[in-house]
Amino acid sequence: MLNQVKAVELALLVGGKDYRALRDALSEMHEVDVAQFIEELPKKQSVVLFRLLPKDQAMEVFAELSVETQERIASAVTDDELSDLVEELAVDDAVDMLEEMPAALVKRVLKTSSHETRSLINQFLHYPDDSAGSIMTAEYTNLRRDMTVEAAIKRIRRTGEDRETIYNCYVTDDSRLLVGVVTVKDILLARDDETVESLMETNIISVATTEDRETAVNLMAKYDLMSLPVVDAEGRLVGIVTIDDAMDAMQEEATEDFQRMSAMAPSERPYLRTGVLSMARNRVLWLTVLMVSAMITGYILGLYEEAFIALPLLVTFIPMLTDTGGNAGSQSSTMVIRGMALGEISTKDAPAIVAKELGVSLLVGVPLAVVNYARVLIGYPGQAAVGLTVSLAMLITVGLANTIGGILPILAKLFRADPALMASPLIATLVDAMSLVVYFTVATLLLPV
Amino acid sequence: MLNQVKAVELALLVGGKDYRALRDALSEMHEVDVAQFIEELPKKQSVVLFRLLPKDQAMEVFAELSVETQERIASAVTDDELSDLVEELAVDDAVDMLEEMPAALVKRVLKTSSHETRSLINQFLHYPDDSAGSIMTAEYTNLRRDMTVEAAIKRIRRTGEDRETIYNCYVTDDSRLLVGVVTVKDILLARDDETVESLMETNIISVATTEDRETAVNLMAKYDLMSLPVVDAEGRLVGIVTIDDAMDAMQEEATEDFQRMSAMAPSERPYLRTGVLSMARNRVLWLTVLMVSAMITGYILGLYEEAFIALPLLVTFIPMLTDTGGNAGSQSSTMVIRGMALGEISTKDAPAIVAKELGVSLLVGVPLAVVNYARVLIGYPGQAAVGLTVSLAMLITVGLANTIGGILPILAKLFRADPALMASPLIATLVDAMSLVVYFTVATLLLPV
């Protein structure tokens, strides 16, 4: 692993231009660590260092670099070298890179790549972002059902290029329809003269290219799959999602949800490597939208000016009431958003959610209301009516907050928006306004204001 | 896959006690789907259905059931059947089950299991919750370095029980020290007379049993590993984490963080299968703690009673100010918490975080302040001093909120608490109080209150 001591040691060699020792040190390292070290170097030196790597390692390291660094290197190498690098990339990674590159460089990459790679790239460019198609790889082991185990092992030995793609083999018929799956283990444990057909599983779990990548990942997690076949609209096999890509997608999807749920535009770059400017850009839009919404809450509060001038004590309970409402609402919305992301909750569960949230709000709201009543009686003797007002407002607020928190993510889904937007910040803002209306309505009914 | 149509069809067979047809239908299904169907049945029928399954399928299905259902079945079967079920479970799954079971049942399970299983279970019971040791499996393929490829393939064929554990083989020496890793693919592609030593990778990525499971999962994601060796304090191989368990752990860790970050006690049960009572229990504690904290905010607000009676307009800006501060703070804290969960941020990055957050707060705070100033001038002509007060308070609040949001998760880590606790609800409550102090301090300086 690349730790700080190792990184300093390497940097000293770079600084001293001791390229022979550097090359030796790098050749012992994992490609992921070499890539990480390259990312930490100044731009110019990163290209120098990359060009020091022996060809095989260079290709492995290239696949692990960020798109920015890939672009810098692509601009610096010859056409032949560029062609080698692109041919060696998995098609999905090549597409990710091309989508971010300037047009001139894209043209050069496509010009230097083989006809086959070019047409695969064009095909992949059409899959929607975040679809199963966009994270699949076109390299998989394909068997025919009439093959013997002996022939199958030969074919696996000949074609098994990437370690993650050989363990499940896919059986297709003449029109490329997916008809079975067989594991390398089953093949290894069988007799040489058995046929693939006799070993294969025909009850196949697969996804369509256009399906959400989250669906693909959830299926793989649920059924413990090492790879998942991806088929086109006619059921023809076009690629597979391997588990390492699924794991990366799972991590990215969760990160995106964390960011959306805290009112930020999602970004894949690690925090420490994101610039202050782009970080501010990701945050300011939602902050402004929510601030303007909170102005409406302020306006509502202004409408009750007479009430709180008549009884200023009322004001001191506002933060407690609005905060608790916001917290209760975001508890519900988080549970529902996460459940939807994991495929455990669908839109048809709305009635069950409302019932459950109302139940929870009663169980949670009553103790909170009691605590408040007791607190007012102790802190402000003789103000029992104020205590009753606060307690009642609390109970109603929690009920509303839980219901809204539970149902808004479902509504978002129905309107094809991301449920993760219906999280804490937005819910809290909505509940704020509502809890004030509830509070002052109850107050005008129960108190002389 | 188990959809509603299929589930209804099966339920009709259960209802009609058509056990022969039911058994036929179940035998075609994936064990995960059978387990899911069993979970949806009433308690009594779930046991009946389980006992219908042929032995091999029963053992596979048992591993996929929830601990509650496992317990119910364990109480209903004979000692011999119980022994078979437990022997067939991976040790980590058996331990998960035993940790939740009543003592009498645990005793019965341990009594009926083999000596070897019993001592493994006892060993696993000592690994801390959420450690790498707690999610590893003791079943892996172990080779010696002087074996030939032919001997290695024979051994893999003989011992490779679980498909997920054969693809990486681990090479140990006489004292069980881990000395190398070799993939099945490398073995398949090599000549029969080559030795394991000539093929194995000696630059091994591993974790200690006591390390956090999150660390293990992040390593596997970073280096695209199908399995990760787990070693004891002396470097002896004791087990491996397989990628399917890593993926489950990744999903659970993210879910836990989502729940903690919304002020809930974490729970692994799916939303729709969690009772109202236990859901309320998971939520009420933090709601109460935060409510009491918000009372302090209310108390602070009460201290400025004279100010807002003198100038009631001030009150209408409070929700906007406190909400925006809370939102800004939770944006920062979310970025830092997620970065720490992914292993991208460590406590030593605190200075970099503070610098970055102050920069962001300036870029974000200035436009928000300008919007506010303009809004006051337009909405309340002649109140320029109020506009200045609100804008200045906004700028300071965002700066404080971002810094606190960025730094509190780091502090939590230093005090060995979960950084995910330092999220939106707690940050918002803290920032609320601070923003009020800032606001009224600025107001008393700039306004005649």
Side-chain angles (χ1 to χ4, degrees):
Chain A
M1 283 176 263
L2 184 72
N3 53 34
Q4 206 164 326
V5 176
K6 181 90 188 162
V8 167
E9 197 182 289
L10 291 170
L12 285 175
L13 296 177
V14 175
K17 304 201 174 174
D18 188 349
Y19 294 136
R20 174 185 293 265
L22 190 58
R23 198 177 161 134
D24 285 350
L26 292 171
S27 70
E28 311 244 301
M29 286 167 58
H30 195 287
E31 63 265 21
V32 172
D33 294 327
V34 177
Q36 189 183 331
F37 181 64
I38 289 182
E39 298 285 353
E40 286 166 9
L41 286 177
K43 290 181 189 182
K44 206 169 153 192
Q45 271 139 327
S46 65
V47 176
V48 172
L49 187 127
F50 182 81
R51 305 204 67 173
L52 271 184
L53 300 171
K55 193 174 159 187
D56 283 355
Q57 200 185 15
M59 296 196 290
E60 286 175 336
V61 168
F62 190 73
E64 302 290 341
L65 290 169
S66 69
V67 173
E68 290 88 341
T69 312
Q70 285 176 335
E71 188 182 320
R72 202 177 314 130
I73 288 167
S75 317
V77 297
T78 66
D79 279 4
D80 278 355
E81 287 169 322
L82 183 58
S83 159
D84 283 349
L85 290 174
V86 173
E87 292 297 326
E88 208 42 45
L89 279 183
V91 183
D92 52 333
D93 294 335
V95 169
D96 286 347
M97 178 179 83
L98 292 176
E99 282 177 336
E100 306 277 326
M101 277 187 175
L105 205 51
V106 173
K107 256 191 201 157
R108 204 175 135 228
V109 167
L110 288 176
K111 201 189 70 193
T112 56
S113 55
S114 70
H115 174 72
E116 198 192 340
T117 305
R118 203 159 47 229
S119 71
L120 265 178
I121 287 176
N122 279 322
Q123 181 193 336
F124 270 65
L125 279 169
H126 284 105
Y127 298 127
D129 258 6
D130 294 347
S131 67
S134 74
I135 57 164
M136 76 182 181
T137 164
E139 289 99 25
Y140 52 88
T141 310
N142 198 353
L143 303 175
R144 286 195 325 276
R145 67 170 103 196
D146 51 2
M147 277 180 168
T148 61
V149 163
E150 197 184 354
I153 290 184
K154 262 203 193 129
R155 188 174 157 81
I156 293 169
R157 282 190 161 189
R158 208 176 51 236
T159 60
E161 297 222 326
D162 291 304
R163 74 206 136 121
E164 68 265 27
T165 61
I166 73 162
Y167 300 122
N168 286 322
C169 301
Y170 295 94
V171 188
T172 49
D173 67 7
D174 290 338
S175 47
R176 279 182 39 229
L177 283 182
L178 179 61
V179 294
V181 188
V182 58
T183 66
V184 163
K185 192 200 142 208
D186 290 334
I187 292 178
L188 276 182
L189 299 184
R191 287 190 327 274
D192 278 351
D193 59 344
E194 287 184 76
T195 62
V196 166
E197 180 155 30
S198 68
L199 299 172
M200 73 189 190
E201 171 68 61
T202 53
N203 197 345
I204 311 166
I205 294 158
S206 67
V207 284
T209 49
T210 49
E211 203 121 19
D212 221 62
R213 66 173 179 174
E214 215 166 37
T215 310
V217 170
N218 287 339
L219 277 178
M220 293 179 77
K222 180 172 177 189
Y223 292 99
D224 285 352
L225 302 175
M226 307 292 270
S227 56
L228 179 72
V230 184
V231 295
D232 65 14
E234 280 76 42
R236 286 183 304 238
L237 182 63
V238 287
I240 62 173
V241 177
T242 57
I243 191 148
D244 53 327
D245 287 339
M247 212 162 167
D248 290 345
M250 181 188 266
Q251 220 166 41
E252 277 173 31
E253 287 279 340
T255 300
E256 269 184 33
D257 279 354
F258 276 113
Q259 293 170 337
R260 287 228 175 83
M261 289 170 73
S262 302
M264 284 177 279
S267 142
E268 276 175 27
R269 288 182 73 84
Y271 177 85
L272 292 173
R273 285 203 227 148
T274 311
V276 170
L277 193 63
S278 75
M279 212 173 262
R281 209 171 27 226
N282 290 338
R283 300 188 191 180
V284 74
L285 177 68
W286 268 105
L287 276 187
T288 312
V289 170
L290 293 167
M291 187 178 81
V292 172
S293 319
M295 286 176 180
I296 299 171
T297 310
Y299 171 78
I300 293 174
L301 191 53
L303 295 181
Y304 298 104
E305 202 174 290
E306 281 174 36
F308 65 73
I309 290 178
L311 193 57
L313 179 58
L314 283 181
V315 176
T316 61
F317 300 107
I318 291 179
M320 188 266 311
L321 196 66
T322 55
D323 283 5
T324 307
N327 289 334
S330 61
Q331 286 179 335
S332 320
S333 69
T334 298
M335 292 305 287
V336 174
I337 292 169
R338 185 64 182 158
M340 290 173 89
L342 296 179
E344 293 165 357
I345 295 179
S346 66
T347 48
K348 67 170 174 34
D349 297 316
I353 293 170
V354 172
K356 189 161 281 196
E357 289 303 327
L358 283 176
V360 172
S361 72
L362 215 61
L363 287 180
V364 163
V366 169
L368 294 180
V370 169
V371 169
N372 264 300
Y373 189 70
R375 189 241 160 175
V376 173
L377 284 196
I378 295 166
Y380 309 92
Q383 297 280 18
V386 172
L388 199 60
T389 304
V390 174
S391 301
L392 204 56
M394 175 62 80
L395 197 60
I396 299 173
T397 297
V398 171
L400 279 172
N402 277 9
T403 317
I404 289 171
I407 216 67
L408 275 192
I410 300 274
L411 281 184
K413 183 84 177 179
L414 285 176
F415 287 98
R416 294 176 191 282
D418 188 333
L421 294 174
M422 299 298 142
S424 178
L426 196 68
I427 303 272
T429 306
L430 282 176
V431 170
D432 266 12
M434 283 191 296
S435 59
L436 286 178
V437 173
V438 168
Y439 183 43
F440 283 105
T441 307
V442 175
T444 43
L445 290 175
L446 297 186
L447 297 170
V449 292
Chain B
M1 281 176 265
L2 184 72
N3 54 32
Q4 209 164 323
V5 176
K6 181 90 189 163
V8 167
E9 195 182 290
L10 291 170
L12 285 174
L13 296 176
V14 175
K17 304 202 175 174
D18 188 349
Y19 295 136
R20 175 186 292 264
L22 192 57
R23 199 177 160 133
D24 285 349
L26 291 172
S27 71
E28 309 246 302
M29 286 168 58
H30 194 286
E31 63 264 22
V32 172
D33 293 326
V34 177
Q36 191 184 328
F37 181 65
I38 290 182
E39 298 287 351
E40 286 165 9
L41 287 177
K43 289 179 188 184
K44 206 169 154 191
Q45 270 139 327
S46 67
V47 176
V48 173
L49 186 125
F50 181 82
R51 303 203 69 170
L52 272 184
L53 298 172
K55 191 173 161 188
D56 282 354
Q57 200 186 14
M59 296 197 289
E60 285 174 338
V61 168
F62 189 74
E64 302 291 340
L65 290 169
S66 69
V67 172
E68 290 87 341
T69 312
Q70 283 177 336
E71 188 183 321
R72 201 176 316 129
I73 288 168
S75 316
V77 298
T78 66
D79 279 2
D80 278 354
E81 287 170 323
L82 183 58
S83 160
D84 283 347
L85 288 175
V86 173
E87 294 295 327
E88 207 45 42
L89 278 184
V91 183
D92 53 333
D93 293 335
V95 169
D96 286 348
M97 177 180 83
L98 292 176
E99 282 177 336
E100 307 277 326
M101 278 186 173
L105 205 51
V106 172
K107 254 190 201 155
R108 203 176 137 230
V109 167
L110 288 176
K111 200 189 71 195
T112 57
S113 54
S114 70
H115 174 72
E116 199 193 339
T117 304
R118 200 157 50 229
S119 71
L120 264 179
I121 286 176
N122 279 321
Q123 182 193 334
F124 270 66
L125 279 170
H126 284 105
Y127 297 127
D129 257 7
D130 293 347
S131 66
S134 74
I135 58 164
M136 75 182 183
T137 162
E139 290 99 25
Y140 53 88
T141 310
N142 197 352
L143 303 177
R144 286 194 328 275
R145 66 171 103 197
D146 52 2
M147 276 180 168
T148 61
V149 163
E150 195 182 356
I153 290 183
K154 262 202 194 130
R155 188 173 158 82
I156 293 169
R157 281 191 160 189
R158 207 174 53 235
T159 61
E161 298 222 326
D162 291 306
R163 75 205 136 121
E164 67 266 26
T165 60
I166 73 162
Y167 300 121
N168 285 323
C169 301
Y170 295 93
V171 187
T172 49
D173 68 8
D174 292 339
S175 48
R176 278 184 39 230
L177 284 182
L178 179 62
V179 293
V181 188
V182 58
T183 66
V184 164
K185 192 200 144 210
D186 290 334
I187 292 178
L188 276 182
L189 299 184
R191 288 193 323 276
D192 277 351
D193 60 344
E194 287 184 76
T195 62
V196 166
E197 180 156 28
S198 67
L199 298 173
M200 73 190 189
E201 170 68 60
T202 54
N203 197 347
I204 311 165
I205 293 159
S206 67
V207 285
T209 48
T210 49
E211 204 121 19
D212 221 63
R213 68 174 179 174
E214 216 166 36
T215 310
V217 171
N218 288 338
L219 277 177
M220 294 180 76
K222 180 173 177 188
Y223 292 98
D224 285 353
L225 303 175
M226 307 292 271
S227 57
L228 178 73
V230 184
V231 295
D232 65 13
E234 281 77 41
R236 287 183 304 239
L237 181 63
V238 287
I240 62 173
V241 178
T242 58
I243 189 141
D244 53 326
D245 287 339
M247 212 161 166
D248 291 345
M250 182 188 266
Q251 219 165 44
E252 278 172 32
E253 286 280 339
T255 300
E256 268 184 35
D257 280 354
F258 276 113
Q259 292 169 336
R260 286 227 176 83
M261 289 170 73
S262 304
M264 285 177 279
S267 143
E268 277 174 28
R269 285 182 75 84
Y271 177 86
L272 292 172
R273 284 203 228 148
T274 312
V276 170
L277 193 63
S278 75
M279 210 174 267
R281 208 169 29 225
N282 290 338
R283 300 188 192 181
V284 74
L285 178 68
W286 268 106
L287 275 187
T288 312
V289 170
L290 292 168
M291 187 178 81
V292 172
S293 319
M295 286 177 181
I296 300 171
T297 311
Y299 172 77
I300 293 175
L301 191 54
L303 295 181
Y304 299 103
E305 200 174 291
E306 282 174 36
F308 66 73
I309 289 178
L311 192 56
L313 179 58
L314 283 180
V315 176
T316 60
F317 300 106
I318 291 179
M320 190 267 310
L321 196 66
T322 54
D323 282 5
T324 307
N327 290 334
S330 60
Q331 287 180 334
S332 319
S333 69
T334 298
M335 292 305 287
V336 174
I337 292 168
R338 184 65 182 157
M340 289 172 89
L342 296 179
E344 294 165 357
I345 294 178
S346 67
T347 48
K348 69 170 173 34
D349 297 315
I353 292 170
V354 172
K356 188 161 281 195
E357 289 303 329
L358 283 176
V360 173
S361 72
L362 215 60
L363 287 180
V364 163
V366 169
L368 293 180
V370 170
V371 169
N372 264 301
Y373 190 69
R375 188 241 161 175
V376 173
L377 284 196
I378 295 167
Y380 308 92
Q383 297 280 17
V386 172
L388 198 62
T389 303
V390 175
S391 301
L392 204 57
M394 175 62 79
L395 196 61
I396 299 173
T397 298
V398 171
L400 280 172
N402 278 8
T403 316
I404 290 170
I407 217 66
L408 274 191
I410 300 275
L411 282 183
K413 183 81 176 182
L414 285 176
F415 286 98
R416 295 175 189 284
D418 189 334
L421 294 174
M422 299 297 142
S424 180
L426 196 67
I427 303 272
T429 306
L430 282 177
V431 171
D432 266 12
M434 283 192 298
S435 59
L436 286 178
V437 173
V438 168
Y439 182 44
F440 284 105
T441 307
V442 174
T444 42
L445 290 175
L446 297 187
L447 297 171
V449 292

